[in-house]
Amino acid sequence: MSPALIAVLPFIGALLPGLLIRSGRDIAAISSATATFVALLGLCLHIPAIMAGEVVTARFDWLPSLGLNANFRIDGLGLLFGILILGIGLLIIAYARYYLSREDPAGVFYTYLMLFQGAMLGIVLSDNILLLLIFWELTSLSSFLLIGYWKHLPEGRQGARMALTVTGMGGLAMIAGMLILGNIAGSFDITDILASREAIQTSPYYLPALLLILLGAFTKSAQFPFHFWLPHAMAAPTPVSAYLHSATMVKAGLFLMARLWPVLSGTPEWFYIVATTGLITMVLAAWIAIFRDDLKSLLAFSTVSHLGLITMLLGFGTEAAAVAAMFHIVNHATFKAALFMTAGIIDHEAGTRSIARLGGLRRLMPVTFVIGTVAALSMAGIPPLNGFLSKEAMLEQATHAVWQGNPWLVAAMATLGALFSVCYSLRFVWQVFFGPERNDYPHKPHDPGFGLWSAPALLAVLVVLIGLFPGSMADWLVEASASAVTGSAQHPHLALWHGLNLPLALSAVALAGGVGLLALNRPLLAARAAIAWPDAKAIFDAITRAATCAAGFFTDRLTNGSMSRALAAFALTVVLCGLWAFSTGGYQGATRPMLPVQPVPLVGWAALMVATCCMVAFHRRRILALVLVGIIGLMVSVSFIYLSAPDLALTQISVEVVTVVLLLLALNFLPKFTVIESRDRKRGVDAFIATLTGLGFGALAYAIMRSDFAFSPISEYMLANSYKLGGGDNVVNVILVDFRGYDTFGEITVLGIAALTIFALTETLLAGASGRRLRNWVHGSRRAGDRHPLMLVVVTRLILPVSLVVGLYIFLRGHNMPGGGFVAGLVVSVALVSQYMASGFAWAQERQKINYHALIGAGVIAAGLTGIGAWFAGLPFLSSTYGYVKLPGLEEFELASAMGFDLGVFLCVMGAVMLALNSLSRIARQAGETVNLDPMDIDPSREARR
Amino acid sequence: MIAEIVVSVLLVLGGFFGLVGSYGLVKLPDPMTRLHAPTKSATLGVGAVLIASLIWFPARHGVLTWHELLITLFLFLTAPVTGYFIAKAHMHLGWSRDELPRPAPGKDWATFCDPDKASLVDRRAGD
Amino acid sequence: MIRRLFPHPWLSVTLVLVWMLLVNRWAVGSLVFATIIGVVVPLITAPYWPGPHGYSKPHKIPAYLAVVLWDIAKANFTVARIVLFMPRRALQPAWIAVPLDLRRPEAITALAATITLTPGTVSCDLSEDGRALLVHAMHAPEPEAVLDEIKTRYEARLKEIFE
Amino acid sequence: MIAYALLFAYGCFGLALLFCLYRVVFAPGLSDRVLALDTMAINMIALLTLFGIDKGTGMYFEASLLFAMVGFISTVAYAKFVLRGDIIE
Amino acid sequence: MELLLSSAIGMLTAAGVYLILRRRSFAVVLGMTMLSYAINLFLFSTGRLVVNAPPILRDGATAYTDPLPQALVLTAIVISFGMTAVVVMMALGAFLEGGDDRVDMPRADRLPADSLSGNRMSGDGDA
Amino acid sequence: MSHLIIAPVVLPAVIGPLIILWMRNDLLLQRVFSIAGTALLAGVALYLNVLAAGGEVQVYRLGNWAAPFGIVLMLDRLAALMLLLTAVLALAVQLYAMGSGWDRKGRHFHALWQFQLMGICGAFLTGDAFNLFVFFEILLIASYGLMIHGGGEMRLRAGVQYIAYNLAGSTLFLAALGVLYSVTGTLNMADMALRVAAMPAEDTALLRVGAVLLMLVFAVKAALVPLHFWLPSTYANAPGPVAALFAIMTKVGVYGIIRFFTLVFPQDTVIESVVADLLLPAALFTLAIGQIGILGTRHLGRLAGFAAIGSIGTLMIAVAQFTPQGTSAAVYYLIHSTLAAGALFLIVDMIGARRGDLWLRLDRAMPGQGLIAALYFTAAIAVVGMPPFSGFIGKLLVMQATGAAPAMVWIWATILITSLIAIYALSRAGSIIFWKSFEVEGQELPSALELAPATVRGPIPPKLEPDEPIQDLGDAPANWLAVASVALLLSGIVALTAFAGPAMRLAEATAAQLHNPDAYVSAVLEGQEGTK
Ligand code: NA
Ligand code: NA
């Protein structure tokens, strides 16, 4: 079976329980087990080839340009871990079937479990470190789900989050490490990397890569100082703990160290970092385990300790140590899985995992007792169980290790670790199973059914068998894996008896010491309880809480919703960046001569400056500010005229008045005055920023006006061809409707959308809270009488038709003289507005038969159709044409297709302006204004008529 | 030549009245009297200039344009209304009804009457 | 029919004239176009022109305009003198209530406009029944004279023209 | 001669503009400022016409027309706002 | 002339920037209007300044000002008008809904109601 | 020259007004036409991708004017890709808007939607600098309308800020264009590229100012720090589907930077490294502030907004390299982050609709949450860039592309550390929302540790006001259309992961085309037979 298929099978297995989420525990367990079994079978089929020294591979290109490929390999190491993952996985699946209660959502559980299994298998079968990274992070995610499976337990959630954070951190570091490693080796394929030991160890990036990768491995394998997360992950259901923390997840770190052992080990850095970490972890965790009350917690720290042991062995960097490490991986998986399951059974049956509340279970749960004792004794390293064998091998290697010139330090520490190990193992047996029977168990304990104890029993049998017959039971597996780890053929001769040697003596010391320590257990517990030990969880919580708090504070303070801050940052950024860009470039100084200054423009300039200053000074008096806006607008328009831009002036003037009308309409409902809110300091800072921006922008404008174009501008072509190709004398208008008609098309769309937005907003406002507020509106200021003065009505009545004529004139001549659709639209709108102002909106609206929505739609469509029309001539969108038409009896006159476009502009502008004003007026009407039936309030002739 | 003289006279006249109008804006003591200055003098000032332009173009360039006439008409049409409104605004802001003569016994000026007084038969919005 | 096509004949004439002034090209084509405008625009704006319109004696309009123009020119000098040379304290402003005989809004508007355009007086407000006009005089030692002039010189003429 | 007349007129209306400006800055109330703005627009029309005479072009005629129209509308709008709050009612 | 125009642009920009840094939406709208004047003048000035040479083809005329920036400014004016209309309306809507015309987001935007100490400032509008 | 190049603009530009003209009071018709239009747009975009895949830059000369005098539309690989991305996102999100009923909560939703698409597509297609401004304005003003769709105080306040900020941005855009025109005398991007390349070195100050201002304009749209302040409140207060569509809007800014600084101002011109020098630190800060914001915020909507900022940071790190490798990584990550952010915003909206609000606190029950929890989990994984989804691959690509950069250590450290923050923050948010909801039943009170640090424990807030516009979905079961649309986006992410190889080949081809602008320039300026 292809390695890729083997790696995928668990994921397929994950789909089934997910899909059959409601069909109960049996179906979920069976489907998961089937997938696992098939994968295991497939893996085992490769045993002969691997034993022959082959590496089975499968390669699929995934993302070749990154070097991320779906390459899989099975070698001895992969085989060892694969068998552990799938074999123990199978047992866990069976165990969990009986462990989970009917209420637990089994489908979800098995989905998560199989996802995790797939991720784990993916790690060990990857032949590409980027692929490995993906699976690596997947184990973090799926274990997050598994640990948090019981959502109702806060410990579960916190444990899950802690596990994810810590292992996630390691995973992230590892990303960097792996990328560096791959870049040194020139490939991310493990096969290639394993062949580049020389390049890697001589690279200056070796140490960073090593540190980053080890950070990943250590966090995953819960090595000191990252050991704290593992016990908190024990909130997971016991099958999860048994699986994750005996055979799989925590061993992923070990796997990685073993996988990269050929290229990373053998250096002093490796030795001191890895071996020392392992050693400390082994001793420290074992010490802590002695005092744990929760069975699973005890087992968790023992796991940490044993992981430290294996890490230390790998850290030694010798081939023999690697062999021992592989052997202990096998042994630890068997006895620790059995122990976790035992603890689960006790929890399940007795209702508690607290050692203080247990004891005397020997007779009540004989089967469990046997299984637990066998496994625990193996953990303690008691012969002839398998734990003893690998512990001897460990001690043997420890005696060879020299730490900073000190030949006995490592051995002594290792013995101490073993001693603690004996102590907590025996404590497990002694305080749970021995002693008097109690009568205050939460449940009445009894042995569970076969389904629950069969899996640990099988493991216990393995513990014994490997211990007794290591040569036939484990030799092949250790040989294959150790050969793969070291990269050279290893032939370990595992045996129970090595003769009387130093390790045996150290074992004896450990055993005796352990028993002695157990005897002192109660005073020790009391002593330890008296000392306030730093609680890792509290520290972690404090750190994350502080981080969350700091992030919250920072975010809230930085992004505090202040518009002023956002815009000040904006202005400063612009000015500083612009200044920097200018000062770092070449500037030749002013080259263009200045236009002479005439007195009248000077007066206009003074008016503009003074009005602007007053505007800022008086901006709190809002109506006055609007009057000043009017003056500024007037001056700007006039300067456009003076500087040869009549079209601009026309547009600016007419836009101006509509804007003022709009602002006045809005101001009717807004406060009429702005209160002073900013402190003097803020006003000063704002003024500084404003001055800086003004100076910068003014200087930029000056620099531009005083320099010439570096290249001849494209507008020269436009001036030359406006009449010839565009048929118009007004070059600006030809640009607008022809050269750049597409811009104008967009521009009227903007206007139309603006009006639609205003309309939609008005609808929403009137329907919501604003509508209620408006219905109860009380006008703040005293109002004068005479809403619709007679004189205004009469004059606007006359102005309206005249303005329509003027609008038409401006529209028609736009192509050749200043004007055009836009100005015409505004002129007509303004005329209508004046009519509305005179006689009231409602009165005027009743006489207005055109729907403004339709005007906007028609305008955009008219402009669009003018553009599309060109398609029928095979020309691009908006291609224009023009010609001269001669009607009988009349002079020739010009017709340009661009006029159709200009008509669209006209309609759209008018629709938009009127729809916007309409919307604002509706707000006013909501505020209780009445609708008049007559155009003017005072009309003597009306009374005379009556 | 005659045209030139006429135009020059008109320009000087226009400039003079324009200036006087705006000067009145500064010099006259209270807002109500200030209102008089610009609405008339400026109107005539601009009127004179516009007429000067009307004469000048055919005389100088041989093109008769009537646009100035339109502007003049437009100004004469609108200036009274703006004066009327500014006066009303000023009455509203600065004068009480007792300072003014009554239009007729028991009657009041429109600016001072009930702001919500309906014209004759008003409808409530939305009815 | 004609009435419906030309709801406001004077307006139509004005618009034709305005168009011709605007295009400034006295050609047949322009006149045709102006005529079209003269028909169409009043039709469009007709809804905004409710009620009867027209003049009873339109031929008196030119004479009235001449009088007004002359008064404007004359008064301009007066006002200029006041603005330039009269000390602030000597100024005697006055509010004058002008009772109206005119009833048509157009006529009242014309009167008010005339008053405003002639320097020295500004029409400020109507009474709530529309039967009196409030006029402010800039310098009126004798308000009665001003009132008299308005009534006889302008209102009487306008009443002839409009009613 | 015409050049001097033009210069005189320019000077007068320029000065007029300054007077208006003074009234905008130093005014007891809003109505005075609106009045000054209105006067400014009218003076601008004069200046534009002078400019047209000066440069011999009728190009700026529509601008004057719009100034007249727009000055009127915005003055009425300001005043109506003062009087009634709502300018279209 | 260039100096005058660029100083005007700078002045308008400074005024605009100062006003958009205020805390009330109306001032911000005014500031945006100022900025839009400034930018329109600026964009216009990129065609460089010429007096009495409008880009309208005439017989005999040889020099024309650059028409392209003018076309761009026209587009910009129209667009900024639309934008101004929307922002005014939105500011009005926010005032009507929320009771004040502050532009800063209230704390209730970032923090849940129960962590606010109930001192959320009330509206000061004249409603 | 295919007329279909302009179809992505004309199609919505016709459908939008048609909706206003004839269907403005008929929601069903609006939905039919609008969705048909968007689907058609997706089809057109697909066709344009096929067209662009030939490797030739397609030019559409509007008005039949010769470049650089008229406006041209340009279709290259990047433009085509962005169009397709827009159309797909819009289609999915629009389905969601219909399924969730958002389009009923105000007027003109569909018309504005079409105009929004018109603006975005136009921006991607144009080859003219000023025209880009115009289409920016279209997409902005439509976005203002969509942003405040449904109304409500907070949304309007946020809308005012959003529009005001973007008005300042538009002003800056005009300033930048003015400066560039004043120096180069042209607006056509290809022509500008030629002129910039020919610029004498002693006269570059103004040009550099123009280039930098332009970059800042795009940085505003992309929400780069310190120009990012507008984003969190805007996105958190925008209607869910609108926020989801906005996922493409920040990308318009990114697109602008890529386009201008590969075509007009490539690294070897007078601009030198001005932009890259500014961009990279900004990108790093953006990433950091975004990810810290994910942890720091108390509101799920703002969380999604900060996530969007963070993703922009990552994206801009890649862009700021201005190498083919960096650009191709950016293109890949851009597709990913658009889909992921879109999905996240929709999921957040679903959560809000069911939970009543989006505050990250413990007292709200979330009924019927299994499916949504799964969707959230998936989207969160994608957003933080954990395996197996494209976010992880994208992150690897970005890191690999910056492996040789001088600031490599800073870049990698920022990416990795902020990833950790994001992982923690999103898992925390997820567990608060989905796992803690069980506690409301009352079996146990949240322990003190569980509470977010600054939370003051208090009574459950009063029921929402009856007219609160967002909440009218209540506890309705997940609407199949809404779920399907989220699933559509997520399946896009899955596809991007599974077909990372082909996707990356596309991205590389895109980057290669971008970094060889000569073909683009000559396509625009040479061989203009038949034009005016
Ligand atoms: Na404006
Ligand atoms: Na503007």
Side-chain angles (χ1 to χ4, degrees), chain F residues 121-467:
Chain F
C121 292
F124 289 142
L125 276 171
T126 190
D128 185 278
F130 191 82
N131 190 245
L132 182 63
F133 164 79
V134 172
F135 277 88
F136 259 54
E137 297 306 302
I138 294 178
L139 71 87
L140 279 175
I141 197 150
S143 78
Y144 304 151
L146 288 174
M147 151 91 217
I148 54 162
H149 178 76
E153 181 198 343
M154 277 309 171
R155 191 170 298 150
L156 282 170
R157 285 182 187 274
V160 171
Q161 286 211 348
Y162 174 59
I163 183 170
Y165 201 79
N166 275 294
L167 279 180
S170 301
T171 307
L172 183 64
F173 202 161
L174 286 175
L177 291 175
V179 176
L180 291 178
Y181 176 76
S182 76
V183 177
T184 62
T186 191
L187 293 168
N188 181 289
M189 280 146 58
D191 193 33
M192 200 181 280
L194 278 186
R195 296 179 182 207
V196 166
M199 198 73 192
E202 63 276 9
D203 198 17
T204 58
L206 287 174
L207 199 55
R208 289 164 64 88
V209 172
V212 166
L213 295 188
L214 199 59
M215 188 208 76
L216 292 176
V217 171
F218 297 132
V220 168
K221 301 287 176 285
L224 272 187
V225 170
L227 309 174
H228 69 291
F229 290 100
W230 61 272
L231 193 142
S233 288
T234 304
Y235 279 40
N237 286 298
V242 175
L245 184 66
F246 282 9
I248 195 78
M249 302 260 289
T250 48
K251 308 305 185 296
V252 179
V254 177
Y255 169 86
I257 290 182
I258 296 179
R259 175 63 81 209
F260 266 86
F261 293 93
T262 56
L263 172 65
V264 184
F265 309 110
Q267 287 292 74
D268 48 357
T269 58
V270 288
I271 306 308
E272 284 156 8
S273 61
V274 165
V275 173
D277 285 354
L278 293 176
L279 264 189
L280 185 60
L284 291 175
F285 275 109
T286 308
L287 177 57
I289 284 176
Q291 308 282 69
I292 290 172
I294 298 180
L295 180 59
T297 185
R298 312 267 304 276
H299 185 268
L300 198 59
R302 292 174 74 81
L303 180 146
F306 280 109
I309 293 180
S311 77
I312 287 294
T314 312
L315 184 50
M316 291 311 295
I317 289 172
V319 170
Q321 303 305 309
F322 290 108
T323 57
Q325 206 190 358
T327 308
S328 54
V331 169
Y332 183 89
Y333 193 81
L334 186 150
I335 303 172
H336 156 79
S337 66
T338 306
L339 297 175
L344 185 62
F345 277 111
L346 294 187
I347 293 163
V348 165
D349 187 60
M350 287 173 137
I351 294 172
R354 274 153 197 81
R355 196 165 169 264
D357 69 21
L358 288 168
W359 296 112
L360 292 176
R361 57 181 178 190
L362 313 173
D363 48 30
R364 289 264 171 177
M366 253 223 50
Q369 40 93 40
L371 182 60
I372 299 175
L375 293 174
Y376 172 85
F377 191 67
T378 313
I381 290 172
V383 165
V384 296
M386 284 194 84
F389 296 128
S390 42
F392 183 72
I393 295 176
K395 204 186 319 183
L396 283 183
L397 285 167
V398 172
M399 290 177 70
Q400 183 68 354
T402 53
M408 177 268 228
V409 174
W410 289 103
I411 296 171
W412 284 26
T414 312
I415 290 179
L416 294 174
I417 293 171
T418 58
S419 291
L420 180 65
I421 297 173
I423 290 171
Y424 176 76
L426 278 169
S427 68
R428 177 174 168 269
S431 64
I432 287 176
I433 285 177
F434 295 109
W435 287 355
K436 296 212 171 148
S437 46
F438 283 77
E439 285 158 11
V440 182
E441 317 304 333
Q443 302 107 323
E444 67 169 346
L445 277 167
S447 69
L449 284 178
E450 288 293 287
L451 290 166
T455 308
V456 179
R457 227 186 295 176
I460 294 172
K463 279 194 80 72
L464 291 153
E465 286 199 15
D467 62 347

Side-chain angles (χ1 to χ4, degrees), chain A residues 255-280:
Chain A
F255 169 82
L256 189 72
M257 285 188 271
R259 177 92 283 172
L260 298 175
W261 194 88
V263 289
L264 294 181
S265 75
T267 61
E269 295 95 324
W270 172 270
F271 172 77
Y272 283 108
I273 297 170
V274 179
T276 312
T277 308
L279 189 61
I280 295 173

Side-chain angles (χ1 to χ4, degrees), chain A residues 614-693:
Chain A
C614 289
M615 159 86 187
V616 172
F618 300 150
H619 77 88
R620 272 184 233 94
R621 296 160 68 186
R622 296 181 170 183
I623 307 155
L624 177 53
L626 281 185
V627 175
L628 290 163
V629 168
I631 294 177
I632 296 168
L634 185 70
M635 291 304 149
V636 170
S637 316
V638 174
S639 57
F640 282 141
I641 295 177
Y642 182 69
L643 295 167
S644 321
D647 272 289
L648 275 189
L650 294 185
T651 313
Q652 181 75 55
I653 299 165
S654 36
V655 162
E656 199 58 55
V657 67
V658 180
T659 308
V660 165
V661 166
L662 207 75
L663 285 170
L664 285 173
L665 280 172
L667 190 55
N668 183 28
F669 291 95
L670 291 171
K672 308 295 178 289
F673 297 95
T674 308
V675 292
I676 303 179
E677 284 175 303
S678 309
R679 294 197 198 106
D680 284 347
R681 191 163 137 262
K682 175 170 168 17
R683 291 217 298 277
V685 171
D686 289 348
F688 173 75
I689 294 173
T691 313
L692 204 63
T693 317

Side-chain angles (χ1 to χ4, degrees), chain A residues 556 559-564 567-568 592-595 597 601-602 605 608-609 612-613 615-616 619 622 625-626 629 632-633 636 639-640 642-648 651-652 655-656 658-659 662-663 666-667 669-672 674-675 677-678 682-683 686-687 690 693-694 697-698 700-702 704-709 713-715 718-719 722-723 728-732 735-736 740 747 751 754 757-758 761-762 765 769-770 773-774 777-778 816-818 822 913 920 923, chain E residues 1-58 62-107 109-111 121 124-127:
Chain A
D556 192 35
T559 320
N560 67 349
S562 161
M563 183 81 212
S564 179
L567 288 170
R592 264 178 83 95
M594 281 221 257
L595 274 185
V597 177
L602 193 66
W605 172 83
L608 181 64
M609 299 297 267
T612 311
C613 286
M615 159 86 187
V616 172
H619 77 88
R622 296 181 170 183
L626 281 185
V629 168
I632 296 168
V636 170
S639 57
F640 282 141
Y642 182 69
L643 295 167
S644 321
D647 272 289
L648 275 189
T651 313
Q652 181 75 55
V655 162
E656 199 58 55
V658 180
T659 308
L662 207 75
L663 285 170
L667 190 55
F669 291 95
L670 291 171
K672 308 295 178 289
T674 308
V675 292
E677 284 175 303
S678 309
K682 175 170 168 17
R683 291 217 298 277
D686 289 348
T693 317
F697 202 52
L700 181 63
Y702 183 75
I704 284 173
M705 282 185 266
R706 293 298 307 281
S707 66
D708 282 305
F709 283 103
I714 52 174
S715 47
M718 292 161 179
L719 282 167
S722 170
Y723 184 75
D729 285 329
N730 182 352
V731 187
V732 175
I735 291 175
L736 280 178
R740 301 188 67 87
E747 164 200 322
L751 214 52
T757 301
I758 290 172
L761 177 57
T762 309
L765 287 178
S770 304
R773 185 165 291 177
L774 282 170
W777 194 269
V778 178
N816 293 313
M817 289 297 275
F822 184 78
V913 170
L920 275 160
I923 288 183
Chain E
M1 196 66 217
E2 279 79 359
L3 205 56
L4 295 189
L5 187 59
S6 51
S7 58
I9 290 172
M11 185 74 208
L12 287 167
T13 308
V17 170
Y18 182 79
L19 288 174
I20 63 171
L21 296 180
R22 300 302 91 213
R23 292 182 194 274
R24 296 287 176 154
S25 54
F26 195 79
V28 174
V29 170
L30 291 179
M32 288 298 166
T33 313
M34 294 291 102
L35 280 182
S36 113
Y37 287 134
I39 198 66
N40 289 341
L41 283 173
F42 175 80
L43 199 54
F44 169 71
S45 76
T46 60
R48 312 308 193 267
L49 307 187
V50 187
V51 174
N52 193 31
I56 289 157
L57 305 176
R58 284 148 296 159
T62 51
Y64 298 102
T65 187
D66 191 340
L68 189 53
Q70 296 192 13
L72 304 187
V73 176
L74 274 178
T75 307
I77 290 177
V78 177
I79 287 175
S80 81
F81 165 67
M83 297 288 172
T84 308
V86 172
V87 75
V88 167
M89 191 62 205
M90 237 188 248
L92 178 58
F95 173 75
L96 290 177
E97 290 281 317
D100 68 65
D101 65 342
R102 287 190 174 81
V103 286
D104 293 350
M105 293 304 289
R107 282 166 60 78
D109 183 45
R110 313 184 297 283
L111 299 172
M121 282 165 284
D124 65 344
D126 54 1

